[in-house]
Amino acid sequence: MVAELLYRYCEITQAQIGRLLGGIDYVSVNMLRKRVRARMLSDPKLNEQFMQWEERIKTEMYNVKI
């Protein structure tokens, strides 16, 4: 889920995400994101957790002053 959130909200590439997550390549990050999205469709609990994290990120980003 972290990879998906980083991709959505941090404006970094999948290659950069891979480096942050221990040195995996961008193809692996892409496959990881696809698997997480597919699992969220079949697992309501996981989907709810993701939505909670996403809402918290949106709230925190809204409160950031530049």
Side-chain angles (χ1 to χ4, degrees):
M1 289 192 298
V2 171
E4 183 64 25
L5 291 168
L6 284 169
Y7 188 78
R8 289 185 186 192
Y9 293 101
C10 293
E11 297 182 11
I12 60 177
T13 66
Q14 293 184 129
Q16 292 168 319
I17 292 169
R19 286 192 292 275
L20 288 171
L21 298 179
I24 59 177
D25 65 7
Y26 75 94
V27 175
S28 297
V29 172
N30 187 41
M31 290 170 39
L32 174 67
R33 291 180 54 235
K34 283 182 183 180
R35 284 194 306 267
V36 167
R37 289 191 306 268
R39 188 166 167 214
M40 285 189 325
L41 291 173
S42 65
D43 185 345
K45 215 175 199 182
L46 182 66
N47 189 49
E48 178 63 30
Q49 185 178 22
F50 182 86
M51 288 175 25
Q52 288 174 357
W53 288 7
E54 188 174 38
E55 188 59 37
R56 185 168 180 186
I57 288 169
K58 288 178 184 178
T59 301
E60 292 297 324
M61 289 175 71
Y62 180 77
N63 292 329
V64 172
K65 293 181 183 177
I66 299 175

